PDB file of all heavy atoms in Angstrom:
ATOM      1  N   HIS S 195       3.351  -3.932 128.676  1.00 46.00           N
ATOM      2  CA  HIS S 195       1.931  -4.242 128.884  1.00 46.00           C
ATOM      3  C   HIS S 195       1.441  -5.289 127.900  1.00 46.00           C
ATOM      4  O   HIS S 195       0.426  -5.942 128.133  1.00 46.00           O
ATOM      5  CB  HIS S 195       1.087  -2.983 128.733  1.00 46.00           C
ATOM      6  CG  HIS S 195       1.023  -2.479 127.336  1.00 46.00           C
ATOM      7  ND1 HIS S 195       2.008  -1.678 126.782  1.00 46.00           N
ATOM      8  CD2 HIS S 195       0.110  -2.683 126.347  1.00 46.00           C
ATOM      9  CE1 HIS S 195       1.695  -1.398 125.529  1.00 46.00           C
ATOM     10  NE2 HIS S 195       0.554  -1.986 125.227  1.00 46.00           N
ATOM     11  N   ALA S 196       2.165  -5.467 126.790  1.00 46.00           N
ATOM     12  CA  ALA S 196       1.758  -6.438 125.773  1.00 46.00           C
ATOM     13  C   ALA S 196       1.769  -7.855 126.304  1.00 46.00           C
ATOM     14  O   ALA S 196       1.123  -8.736 125.756  1.00 46.00           O
ATOM     15  CB  ALA S 196       2.682  -6.337 124.561  1.00 46.00           C
ATOM     16  N   GLN S 197       2.481  -8.088 127.395  1.00 44.00           N
ATOM     17  CA  GLN S 197       2.562  -9.443 127.931  1.00 44.00           C
ATOM     18  C   GLN S 197       1.190  -9.971 128.338  1.00 44.00           C
ATOM     19  O   GLN S 197       0.951 -11.170 128.363  1.00 44.00           O
ATOM     20  CB  GLN S 197       3.504  -9.462 129.137  1.00 44.00           C
ATOM     21  CG  GLN S 197       4.954  -9.163 128.763  1.00 44.00           C
ATOM     22  CD  GLN S 197       5.867  -9.227 129.958  1.00 44.00           C
ATOM     23  OE1 GLN S 197       5.464  -9.658 131.040  1.00 44.00           O
ATOM     24  NE2 GLN S 197       7.100  -8.801 129.788  1.00 44.00           N
ATOM     25  N   ASP S 198       0.282  -9.063 128.672  1.00 44.00           N
ATOM     26  CA  ASP S 198      -1.037  -9.499 129.126  1.00 44.00           C
ATOM     27  C   ASP S 198      -2.113  -9.334 128.068  1.00 44.00           C
ATOM     28  O   ASP S 198      -3.284  -9.561 128.328  1.00 44.00           O
ATOM     29  CB  ASP S 198      -1.435  -8.682 130.365  1.00 44.00           C
ATOM     30  CG  ASP S 198      -0.452  -8.897 131.510  1.00 44.00           C
ATOM     31  OD1 ASP S 198       0.001 -10.042 131.675  1.00 44.00           O
ATOM     32  OD2 ASP S 198      -0.122  -7.910 132.200  1.00 44.00           O
ATOM     33  N   SER S 199      -1.732  -8.928 126.860  1.00 46.00           N
ATOM     34  CA  SER S 199      -2.724  -8.685 125.816  1.00 46.00           C
ATOM     35  C   SER S 199      -3.207  -9.995 125.204  1.00 46.00           C
ATOM     36  O   SER S 199      -2.478 -10.980 125.164  1.00 46.00           O
ATOM     37  CB  SER S 199      -2.140  -7.783 124.719  1.00 46.00           C
ATOM     38  OG  SER S 199      -1.058  -8.429 124.087  1.00 46.00           O
ATOM     39  N   GLU S 200      -4.455  -9.998 124.729  1.00 51.00           N
ATOM     40  CA  GLU S 200      -4.997 -11.182 124.090  1.00 51.00           C
ATOM     41  C   GLU S 200      -4.486 -11.272 122.650  1.00 51.00           C
ATOM     42  O   GLU S 200      -4.178 -10.268 122.027  1.00 51.00           O
ATOM     43  CB  GLU S 200      -6.531 -11.128 124.108  1.00 51.00           C
ATOM     44  CG  GLU S 200      -7.119 -11.217 125.510  1.00 51.00           C
ATOM     45  CD  GLU S 200      -8.629 -11.270 125.470  1.00 51.00           C
ATOM     46  OE1 GLU S 200      -9.185 -11.237 124.334  1.00 51.00           O
ATOM     47  OE2 GLU S 200      -9.250 -11.326 126.534  1.00 51.00           O
ATOM     48  N   PHE S 201      -4.467 -12.502 122.149  1.00 61.00           N
ATOM     49  CA  PHE S 201      -3.971 -12.712 120.794  1.00 61.00           C
ATOM     50  C   PHE S 201      -4.904 -13.685 120.109  1.00 61.00           C
ATOM     51  O   PHE S 201      -5.017 -14.845 120.509  1.00 61.00           O
ATOM     52  CB  PHE S 201      -2.541 -13.265 120.838  1.00 61.00           C
ATOM     53  CG  PHE S 201      -1.911 -13.347 119.486  1.00 61.00           C
ATOM     54  CD1 PHE S 201      -1.531 -12.205 118.813  1.00 61.00           C
ATOM     55  CD2 PHE S 201      -1.711 -14.575 118.871  1.00 61.00           C
ATOM     56  CE1 PHE S 201      -0.961 -12.276 117.553  1.00 61.00           C
ATOM     57  CE2 PHE S 201      -1.132 -14.650 117.618  1.00 61.00           C
ATOM     58  CZ  PHE S 201      -0.756 -13.505 116.968  1.00 61.00           C
ATOM     59  N   ASP S 202      -5.601 -13.214 119.081  1.00 81.00           N
ATOM     60  CA  ASP S 202      -6.675 -13.995 118.481  1.00 81.00           C
ATOM     61  C   ASP S 202      -6.259 -14.599 117.145  1.00 81.00           C
ATOM     62  O   ASP S 202      -6.950 -14.472 116.146  1.00 81.00           O
ATOM     63  CB  ASP S 202      -7.915 -13.127 118.299  1.00 81.00           C
ATOM     64  CG  ASP S 202      -9.146 -13.963 117.973  1.00 81.00           C
ATOM     65  OD1 ASP S 202      -9.180 -15.132 118.403  1.00 81.00           O
ATOM     66  OD2 ASP S 202     -10.049 -13.455 117.294  1.00 81.00           O
ATOM     67  N   LEU S 203      -5.099 -15.220 117.121  1.00 89.00           N
ATOM     68  CA  LEU S 203      -4.644 -15.962 115.956  1.00 89.00           C
ATOM     69  C   LEU S 203      -4.084 -17.297 116.407  1.00 89.00           C
ATOM     70  O   LEU S 203      -3.615 -17.442 117.535  1.00 89.00           O
ATOM     71  CB  LEU S 203      -3.526 -15.209 115.216  1.00 89.00           C
ATOM     72  CG  LEU S 203      -3.862 -14.016 114.334  1.00 89.00           C
ATOM     73  CD1 LEU S 203      -2.578 -13.482 113.716  1.00 89.00           C
ATOM     74  CD2 LEU S 203      -4.852 -14.374 113.247  1.00 89.00           C
ATOM     75  N   GLN S 204      -4.115 -18.246 115.502  1.00 92.00           N
ATOM     76  CA  GLN S 204      -3.384 -19.489 115.702  1.00 92.00           C
ATOM     77  C   GLN S 204      -2.114 -19.433 114.871  1.00 92.00           C
ATOM     78  O   GLN S 204      -2.116 -18.923 113.747  1.00 92.00           O
ATOM     79  CB  GLN S 204      -4.207 -20.699 115.272  1.00 92.00           C
ATOM     80  CG  GLN S 204      -5.321 -21.052 116.245  1.00 92.00           C
ATOM     81  CD  GLN S 204      -5.918 -22.408 115.898  1.00 92.00           C
ATOM     82  OE1 GLN S 204      -6.173 -22.688 114.738  1.00 92.00           O
ATOM     83  NE2 GLN S 204      -6.147 -23.221 116.893  1.00 92.00           N
ATOM     84  N   ILE S 205      -1.040 -19.955 115.419  1.00 93.00           N
ATOM     85  CA  ILE S 205       0.236 -20.001 114.707  1.00 93.00           C
ATOM     86  C   ILE S 205       0.761 -21.426 114.777  1.00 93.00           C
ATOM     87  O   ILE S 205       0.723 -22.061 115.833  1.00 93.00           O
ATOM     88  CB  ILE S 205       1.277 -19.055 115.325  1.00 93.00           C
ATOM     89  CG1 ILE S 205       0.719 -17.634 115.421  1.00 93.00           C
ATOM     90  CG2 ILE S 205       2.564 -19.057 114.516  1.00 93.00           C
ATOM     91  CD1 ILE S 205       1.633 -16.680 116.146  1.00 93.00           C
ATOM     92  N   ARG S 206       1.246 -21.940 113.652  1.00 92.00           N
ATOM     93  CA  ARG S 206       1.841 -23.270 113.611  1.00 92.00           C
ATOM     94  C   ARG S 206       3.204 -23.227 112.953  1.00 92.00           C
ATOM     95  O   ARG S 206       3.391 -22.551 111.938  1.00 92.00           O
ATOM     96  CB  ARG S 206       0.973 -24.234 112.793  1.00 92.00           C
ATOM     97  CG  ARG S 206      -0.445 -24.365 113.261  1.00 92.00           C
ATOM     98  CD  ARG S 206      -0.608 -25.405 114.360  1.00 92.00           C
ATOM     99  NE  ARG S 206      -2.018 -25.457 114.696  1.00 92.00           N
ATOM    100  CZ  ARG S 206      -2.915 -26.115 113.982  1.00 92.00           C
ATOM    101  NH1 ARG S 206      -2.538 -26.761 112.893  1.00 92.00           N
ATOM    102  NH2 ARG S 206      -4.179 -26.110 114.349  1.00 92.00           N
ATOM    103  N   ASP S 207       4.138 -23.966 113.496  1.00 93.00           N
ATOM    104  CA  ASP S 207       5.386 -24.215 112.789  1.00 93.00           C
ATOM    105  C   ASP S 207       5.107 -25.202 111.659  1.00 93.00           C
ATOM    106  O   ASP S 207       4.266 -26.095 111.786  1.00 93.00           O
ATOM    107  CB  ASP S 207       6.431 -24.813 113.739  1.00 93.00           C
ATOM    108  CG  ASP S 207       6.799 -23.864 114.869  1.00 93.00           C
ATOM    109  OD1 ASP S 207       6.728 -22.650 114.662  1.00 93.00           O
ATOM    110  OD2 ASP S 207       7.147 -24.353 115.963  1.00 93.00           O
ATOM    111  N   LEU S 208       5.802 -25.036 110.544  1.00 95.00           N
ATOM    112  CA  LEU S 208       5.640 -25.920 109.395  1.00 95.00           C
ATOM    113  C   LEU S 208       6.922 -26.696 109.155  1.00 95.00           C
ATOM    114  O   LEU S 208       8.023 -26.184 109.365  1.00 95.00           O
ATOM    115  CB  LEU S 208       5.308 -25.103 108.141  1.00 95.00           C
ATOM    116  CG  LEU S 208       4.004 -24.301 108.176  1.00 95.00           C
ATOM    117  CD1 LEU S 208       3.903 -23.421 106.932  1.00 95.00           C
ATOM    118  CD2 LEU S 208       2.794 -25.220 108.279  1.00 95.00           C
ATOM    119  N   VAL S 209       6.784 -27.920 108.679  1.00 93.00           N
ATOM    120  CA  VAL S 209       7.927 -28.755 108.341  1.00 93.00           C
ATOM    121  C   VAL S 209       8.258 -28.519 106.873  1.00 93.00           C
ATOM    122  O   VAL S 209       7.482 -28.874 105.982  1.00 93.00           O
ATOM    123  CB  VAL S 209       7.621 -30.244 108.595  1.00 93.00           C
ATOM    124  CG1 VAL S 209       8.820 -31.106 108.204  1.00 93.00           C
ATOM    125  CG2 VAL S 209       7.271 -30.468 110.069  1.00 93.00           C
ATOM    126  N   VAL S 210       9.410 -27.903 106.617  1.00 95.00           N
ATOM    127  CA  VAL S 210       9.786 -27.537 105.251  1.00 95.00           C
ATOM    128  C   VAL S 210      11.213 -27.966 104.927  1.00 95.00           C
ATOM    129  O   VAL S 210      11.907 -27.329 104.137  1.00 95.00           O
ATOM    130  CB  VAL S 210       9.635 -26.017 105.020  1.00 95.00           C
ATOM    131  CG1 VAL S 210       8.175 -25.622 104.974  1.00 95.00           C
ATOM    132  CG2 VAL S 210      10.366 -25.232 106.098  1.00 95.00           C
ATOM    133  N   GLY S 211      11.665 -29.064 105.514  1.00 89.00           N
ATOM    134  CA  GLY S 211      13.010 -29.564 105.235  1.00 89.00           C
ATOM    135  C   GLY S 211      14.018 -29.073 106.255  1.00 89.00           C
ATOM    136  O   GLY S 211      13.725 -28.244 107.114  1.00 89.00           O
ATOM    137  N   ASP S 212      15.237 -29.570 106.135  1.00 92.00           N
ATOM    138  CA  ASP S 212      16.266 -29.309 107.133  1.00 92.00           C
ATOM    139  C   ASP S 212      16.868 -27.913 107.051  1.00 92.00           C
ATOM    140  O   ASP S 212      17.427 -27.417 108.029  1.00 92.00           O
ATOM    141  CB  ASP S 212      17.399 -30.337 107.000  1.00 92.00           C
ATOM    142  CG  ASP S 212      16.931 -31.753 107.310  1.00 92.00           C
ATOM    143  OD1 ASP S 212      15.939 -31.887 108.052  1.00 92.00           O
ATOM    144  OD2 ASP S 212      17.556 -32.706 106.805  1.00 92.00           O
ATOM    145  N   GLN S 213      16.793 -27.266 105.903  1.00 94.00           N
ATOM    146  CA  GLN S 213      17.477 -25.990 105.713  1.00 94.00           C
ATOM    147  C   GLN S 213      16.665 -24.770 106.129  1.00 94.00           C
ATOM    148  O   GLN S 213      17.218 -23.676 106.264  1.00 94.00           O
ATOM    149  CB  GLN S 213      17.890 -25.831 104.249  1.00 94.00           C
ATOM    150  CG  GLN S 213      18.919 -26.843 103.783  1.00 94.00           C
ATOM    151  CD  GLN S 213      19.344 -26.593 102.349  1.00 94.00           C
ATOM    152  OE1 GLN S 213      18.557 -26.100 101.533  1.00 94.00           O
ATOM    153  NE2 GLN S 213      20.577 -26.927 102.037  1.00 94.00           N
TER     154      GLN S 213
END
Side-chain angles (χ1 to χ4, degrees):
H195 70 277
Q197 294 182 9
D198 299 322
S199 63
E200 294 184 0
F201 187 71
D202 193 28
L203 283 181
Q204 286 191 315
I205 306 174
R206 303 274 181 80
D207 297 331
L208 298 173
V209 179
V210 289
D212 295 335
Q213 295 183 329

